[in-house]
Amino acid sequence: MLGSNRDGEYLVSCLFCRREFDEYLMKCPVCSGPLEIVFLNPRFRIDKSKPNIWRYKSLLPSFSKIITYGEGLTPVSRIHGVLIKNERYNPTGTYSDRASSLIASYVASTNIKKLWVRFIEDFTYSLSYYLSGLADLEVEVYGDDISNDELGKLVELGVKLVPSYTTNSSLELDYLNPLTIEGLKTIIFEVYERKVRCESIVVPTVTGLLARSLWKGVKELKESGLDVCYTIVPVLIKGWLKPTLIPSDMDVVEVELETVLNTFTKLCSSGVRVKPISALAYAVAENLGNSLAVITAGYKSSTRMDRGRVKESIINLLNREGSLTAYEIWKGLKSFTLRGIYKALKSLEVRGVLCSEFEVRGSRKIKRYKLCGNQLKS
Ligand SMILES: [Zn+2]
């Protein structure tokens, strides 16, 4: 059974056949269509004490346990004058972390111990990161996936890779599930909270899930009685089919592949590292004007020396402060990215330099790091 959030009940509705359910399901048991959570009495409130997506708890499903690594509150900045919401500044470097926080909270609250998921770049890594220590994850790999570097990172996190033709009895988790939508929509809440001035929010589109989620976020803000006039603009490569997840009244912009490659080349040659899919949204935001592009962008690859410096700074900080959470460490060392801090913490923990413990703060479980034993203390 679904719980209720502070302001009222919610239910799960099928986007295809419109049937309604009162439990979390991954897809519609009747028509296999995608499901979405519907708030019956939406109210938008911000809990400013939470430095993550859970500050929007009034419009998120509620769980008895919350798993967070500080996802969300990513910066809005400009690249060559174009406004961007840079999702790279999430714990594993993508907006998938917003979804993973909800899924991991659900898994922790329901005590699911084993699940499996189809390999999807970025999402599977993010999910593995969030589920690490909570549940065993099996990742279904197809032949096409084996050239992907990310598989190695999954193994390092203790994930079991299984061939696609294996039958599996554990719970199947689909990327397209109601909790993913809830996590991704928080991007729009942050844009609204920060009062970003723009008309269009441009979203790179493959499955339509991100655009759909942001559209839902705008809809809920309006239903909460707020004056929100952002238009979500999904962008596709010319010739691709409009995904069924995109609401029919939403206009899609198509871009020639050549334009995407030219924009990608321009960004890369000026030292901005983006994925080609991000260049798709960037190109349209640049052309439209008065727009914000939701992308992941880095400015240069971190060198081995940078990585060494993060670790050294963390050890020095913990030596002074005793024990700290990852977020507190990041606040103390603002010159590094949160993702860099998390990477360094994981690696220091695996090497036995750092030990971690959980403590409960309010209703949240907080992970604190400290130096193991007296090692490295001078
Ligand atoms: Zn259905």
Side-chain angles (χ1 to χ4, degrees):
M1 289 287 282
L2 290 179
S4 63
N5 66 332
R6 262 186 316 194
D7 295 293
E9 302 286 328
Y10 44 89
L11 43 84
V12 173
S13 161
C14 175
L15 293 179
F16 289 173
C17 73
R18 298 281 154 199
R19 282 187 178 82
E20 290 172 347
F21 306 93
D22 64 353
E23 60 182 323
Y24 288 117
L25 298 161
M26 291 303 149
K27 54 178 77 154
C28 177
V30 180
C31 76
S32 297
L35 298 171
E36 194 169 75
I37 290 174
V38 178
F39 290 88
L40 302 178
N41 180 25
R43 286 282 172 275
F44 182 69
R45 294 205 197 92
I46 303 167
D47 177 354
K48 296 207 170 188
S49 69
K50 304 256 184 334
N52 50 55
I53 58 169
W54 296 96
R55 65 204 277 109
Y56 310 116
K57 199 179 161 199
S58 71
L59 277 180
L60 291 176
S62 60
F63 299 108
S64 56
K65 289 180 188 150
I66 298 296
I67 306 297
T68 172
Y69 287 99
E71 58 293 322
L73 296 183
T74 52
V76 172
S77 54
R78 278 181 194 277
I79 294 179
H80 309 312
V82 176
L83 211 51
I84 62 155
K85 175 88 169 143
N86 194 346
E87 287 293 292
R88 180 170 175 264
Y89 291 89
N90 276 308
T92 76
T94 67
Y95 52 72
S96 294
D97 293 337
R98 298 172 184 270
S100 299
S101 176
L102 273 113
I103 296 167
S105 300
Y106 170 65
V107 167
S109 303
T110 48
N111 221 15
I112 293 169
K113 286 293 170 209
K114 209 175 166 199
L115 65 174
W116 71 285
V117 66
R118 158 92 175 91
F119 174 73
I120 295 175
E121 196 175 351
D122 294 340
F123 171 66
T124 313
Y125 177 66
S126 165
L127 191 64
S128 312
Y129 189 93
Y130 274 76
L131 289 179
S132 150
L134 280 179
D136 292 332
L137 187 65
E138 290 188 348
V139 173
E140 185 190 24
V141 178
Y142 282 72
D144 291 351
D145 301 327
I146 61 163
S147 61
N148 200 301
D149 280 349
E150 225 173 64
L151 294 181
K153 285 159 65 185
L154 295 179
V155 173
E156 285 170 23
L157 284 178
V159 162
K160 188 180 175 198
L161 305 178
V162 293
S164 54
Y165 45 78
T166 316
T167 46
N168 205 312
S169 58
S170 354
L171 175 72
E172 182 190 358
L173 186 81
D174 200 316
Y175 179 45
L176 204 184
N177 73 74
L179 299 178
T180 298
I181 296 177
E182 294 307 296
L184 299 185
K185 77 178 184 188
T186 57
I187 293 175
I188 215 72
F189 295 165
E190 288 170 18
V191 173
Y192 176 78
E193 184 188 351
R194 294 191 56 171
K195 300 186 170 64
V196 176
R197 276 204 245 158
C198 64
E199 278 169 19
S200 310
I201 298 187
V202 184
V203 187
T205 301
V206 181
T207 62
L209 189 58
L210 182 59
R212 170 94 206 180
S213 306
L214 300 198
W215 174 85
K216 183 174 192 274
V218 170
K219 184 162 110 8
E220 287 171 359
L221 289 175
K222 285 181 180 166
E223 287 168 357
S224 302
L226 300 168
D227 183 22
V228 185
C229 36
Y230 297 127
T231 305
I232 307 298
V233 180
V235 189
L236 292 174
I237 301 268
K238 194 161 193 171
W240 286 7
L241 286 178
K242 181 174 170 177
T244 47
L245 280 178
I246 305 280
S248 52
D249 58 348
M250 197 192 268
D251 291 330
V252 170
V253 174
E254 293 190 335
V255 179
E256 294 280 358
L257 181 59
E258 189 184 356
T259 311
V260 179
L261 294 178
N262 288 342
T263 306
F264 179 63
T265 305
K266 190 180 84 180
L267 288 170
C268 287
S269 1
S270 65
V272 180
R273 285 168 56 97
V274 293
K275 288 189 177 181
I277 185 86
S278 289
L280 179 65
Y282 182 94
V284 171
E286 187 178 37
N287 189 35
L288 280 178
N290 207 2
S291 303
L292 171 96
V294 178
I295 66 172
T296 56
Y299 295 92
K300 62 175 173 109
S301 61
S302 66
T303 61
R304 195 170 285 276
M305 205 174 79
D306 281 340
R307 287 199 290 273
R309 241 167 17 94
V310 186
K311 288 178 188 163
E312 196 185 310
S313 308
I314 290 174
I315 290 167
N316 288 338
L317 185 70
L318 288 174
N319 207 17
R320 276 202 312 275
E321 303 288 334
S323 83
L324 292 172
T325 65
Y327 187 76
E328 287 164 350
I329 292 169
W330 176 62
K331 276 170 89 176
L333 304 170
K334 273 282 184 165
S335 58
F336 303 107
T337 62
L338 188 54
R339 186 191 191 192
I341 300 280
Y342 276 113
K343 270 183 145 172
L345 286 172
K346 268 256 155 120
S347 140
L348 287 169
E349 204 177 356
V350 170
R351 282 168 44 202
V353 178
L354 294 188
C355 292
S356 65
E357 56 192 0
F358 285 102
E359 69 171 36
V360 177
R361 198 182 284 174
S363 61
R364 291 193 303 150
K365 197 162 77 174
I366 306 274
K367 190 175 185 182
R368 301 184 70 88
Y369 294 88
K370 61 178 186 183
L371 299 174
C372 298
N374 289 326
Q375 180 190 354
L376 299 166
K377 282 209 171 167
S378 50

